[in-house]
Amino acid sequence: GKESEKVRKSTVSYKSVNQMPREPEVKDLKLYVDKKYETVIMPIFGLPVPFHISTIKNISQSVEGDYTYLRINFFHPGATMSKTEGGTYSNPDATFLKEITYRSINTKEPGEISAPSSNLNTAFRLIKEVQKRFKTREAEEREKED
Amino acid sequence: MDFLEFSSISSEQRGSMATGRLKLTNEAIIWKSDKTGKVDEISSGEIECANYQRFVGHFGLRLFLKNGTLHRFQGFKEDEKKLADFFKKHYKLEMLEKELSMRGWNWGNVNFKGDVLSFDINDKTAFEVSISNVSQCNQGKNEITLEFHQNDDAPVSLMEMRYHIPTTESSETDPVENF
């Protein structure tokens, strides 16, 4: 019924570690956007940690001095949600990761092909892209249901 | 003397992975950095528990010490059985798998053990943070902010994390007290 539709779907990124992409970014502990599984893999103290695109609310990027910053905001209870995003949280009693910020140097070291911050730039662009596609699809599915 | 040696094993140092050689002897685990020559030695008696964690194309060794600190090594290519047998024989420790959560959720439970904050989703750990990496911790209404020491050796460095904490939970004052 209408109630169940409103509950935000608990989408799962990977069923097991075998589905994780074998990309150098994952191994090198950079950010990697997996378009196939619609997941952003973020390095957290040595571990590549997947976050499904549906958990990400918005992202912002800034350049200050020698550094580029990428901030990722996640959906969590207590934040205002627009009607299109809709829905409730299936488990409001859990602890939510709200926000995560990364920093990267803009300058190249000798011998480097690109500056470390190019990873954050690419991630920013790809997250936007995958998010857009995901939202469009969600909206289409909602339309079909109505 | 029985020993095992592995080359190109990386050790997690403040969010970046430094490569080095790992040597396991009867009494200790010794990791030596290729770049700086820095040596980390863990005597086998200090280890409280040992786990292995599967990554894409390799596996990692996770050592939790009796003093509450966490050590992690990655890049093992071979079968984990060899390592597990060595742990059992010489250190009398069972090296069990610690599976990581691949769900991709941003909600779960935060648990503390020793100096380690672990974010668990359905009983599986998604990530772990050593409190020694935290430079500052602030508590707000329903919110905890952790700021981290910066490491320019890492291609991307984690700066800050914010958590939303449900109002009912009182145990969450722990991180503030830990400082």
Side-chain angles (χ1 to χ4, degrees), chain B residues 101-126:
Chain B
S101 172
M102 293 289 134
R103 286 179 176 267
W105 295 354
N106 68 320
W107 61 91
N109 290 303
V110 171
N111 295 305
F112 289 92
K113 198 183 171 198
D115 292 341
V116 182
L117 175 161
S118 105
F119 190 81
D120 300 330
I121 302 171
N122 286 3
D123 302 326
K124 280 186 197 167
T125 299

Side-chain angles (χ1 to χ4, degrees), chain B:
Chain B
M1 195 163 91
D2 209 1
F3 69 93
L4 279 181
E5 206 167 357
F6 301 90
S7 60
S8 41
I9 295 296
S10 47
S11 160
E12 192 249 325
Q13 314 263 347
R14 290 202 167 173
S16 83
M17 300 303 284
T19 42
R21 293 183 74 82
L22 188 76
K23 194 173 170 179
L24 290 87
T25 71
N26 295 2
E27 293 112 25
I29 295 174
I30 303 141
W31 179 82
K32 190 178 179 201
S33 165
D34 286 342
K35 200 175 153 195
T36 62
K38 183 179 171 263
V39 174
D40 278 342
E41 190 169 335
I42 301 161
S43 99
S44 64
E46 289 177 73
I47 305 166
E48 183 175 305
C49 87
N51 300 112
Y52 71 95
Q53 293 175 316
R54 228 173 268 287
F55 297 103
V56 175
H58 64 107
F59 75 93
L61 174 65
R62 175 189 181 273
L63 300 174
F64 184 76
L65 306 191
K66 286 173 181 156
N67 65 8
T69 56
L70 180 71
H71 289 262
R72 285 186 304 201
F73 303 99
Q74 287 178 22
F76 298 92
K77 304 274 185 211
E78 293 161 71
D79 194 16
E80 69 280 351
K81 200 176 171 298
K82 197 169 140 190
L83 207 56
D85 288 345
F86 194 90
F87 268 83
K88 203 170 178 176
K89 191 176 164 199
H90 297 288
Y91 309 153
K92 310 275 177 280
L93 287 166
E94 289 282 347
M95 186 182 85
L96 300 172
E97 178 167 13
K98 189 170 163 64
E99 243 188 290
L100 293 162
S101 172
M102 293 289 134
R103 286 179 176 267
W105 295 354
N106 68 320
W107 61 91
N109 290 303
V110 171
N111 295 305
F112 289 92
K113 198 183 171 198
D115 292 341
V116 182
L117 175 161
S118 105
F119 190 81
D120 300 330
I121 302 171
N122 286 3
D123 302 326
K124 280 186 197 167
T125 299
F127 58 84
E128 292 179 300
V129 177
S130 280
I131 297 299
S132 60
N133 290 321
V134 178
S135 62
Q136 221 183 335
C137 175
N138 294 305
Q139 193 180 13
K141 190 175 171 266
N142 286 7
E143 188 184 272
I144 297 273
T145 307
L146 301 178
E147 283 171 41
F148 302 105
H149 293 292
Q150 291 305 292
N151 183 347
D152 284 342
D153 287 339
V156 292
S157 184
L158 185 61
M159 278 207 71
E160 197 185 282
M161 266 180 169
R162 271 176 213 269
Y163 291 93
H164 170 85
I165 316 280
T167 33
T168 46
E169 239 170 296
S170 54
S171 62
E172 293 304 332
T173 46
D174 282 348
V176 185
E177 281 161 19
N178 273 345
F179 287 93

Side-chain angles (χ1 to χ4, degrees), chain A residues 13 45 91 96 98 101 104, chain B residues 72 103 107 143 155 162 164:
Chain A
S13 287
F45 292 106
N91 40 2
F96 279 70
K98 242 173 133 167
T101 310
S104 222
Chain B
R72 285 186 304 201
R103 286 179 176 267
W107 61 91
E143 188 184 272
R162 271 176 213 269
H164 170 85

Side-chain angles (χ1 to χ4, degrees), chain A residues 5 12 20 53-56 59 69-70 88 94 96 103-105 108 121 146:
Chain A
E5 268 173 42
V12 171
M20 276 265 233
I53 199 77
S54 62
T55 64
I56 296 172
I59 56 172
Y69 297 83
L70 178 67
T88 50
F96 279 70
R103 182 180 98 162
S104 222
I105 308 176
K108 269 195 276 186
N121 295 329
D146 284 341

Side-chain angles (χ1 to χ4, degrees), chain A residues 9-146:
Chain A
K9 268 185 235 141
S10 304
T11 322
V12 171
S13 287
Y14 304 108
K15 287 196 183 76
S16 79
V17 68
N18 300 325
Q19 285 180 328
M20 276 265 233
R22 292 174 173 262
E23 298 296 330
E25 283 92 342
V26 178
K27 210 174 156 262
D28 296 344
L29 297 173
K30 294 178 187 172
L31 272 84
Y32 181 74
V33 183
D34 185 346
K35 290 187 192 177
K36 191 180 165 200
Y37 287 93
E38 298 181 317
T39 291
V40 186
I41 298 172
M42 303 182 201
I44 301 180
F45 292 106
L47 299 181
V49 186
F51 289 97
H52 194 266
I53 199 77
S54 62
T55 64
I56 296 172
K57 190 180 182 198
N58 56 43
I59 56 172
S60 64
Q61 196 183 24
S62 63
V63 180
E64 281 166 46
D66 291 338
Y67 294 100
T68 295
Y69 297 83
L70 178 67
R71 171 180 292 194
I72 297 157
N73 290 304
F74 295 94
F75 283 107
H76 64 90
T80 43
M81 282 197 290
S82 71
K83 264 189 182 162
T84 47
E85 283 154 356
T88 50
Y89 293 93
S90 44
N91 40 2
D93 295 334
T95 299
F96 279 70
L97 181 63
K98 242 173 133 167
E99 187 189 297
I100 197 162
T101 310
Y102 285 97
R103 182 180 98 162
S104 222
I105 308 176
N106 295 332
T107 46
K108 269 195 276 186
E109 290 273 323
E112 278 183 332
I113 300 158
S114 56
S117 61
S118 67
N119 176 246
L120 293 186
N121 295 329
T122 311
F124 179 80
R125 188 169 49 82
L126 292 177
I127 292 170
K128 287 270 184 206
E129 203 180 298
V130 174
Q131 202 177 28
K132 199 176 160 192
R133 209 173 57 189
F134 180 79
K135 279 183 179 165
T136 315
R137 212 183 53 229
E138 259 198 334
E140 278 171 5
E141 277 169 18
R142 257 199 308 274
E143 258 174 43
K144 269 184 218 157
E145 280 169 9
D146 284 341

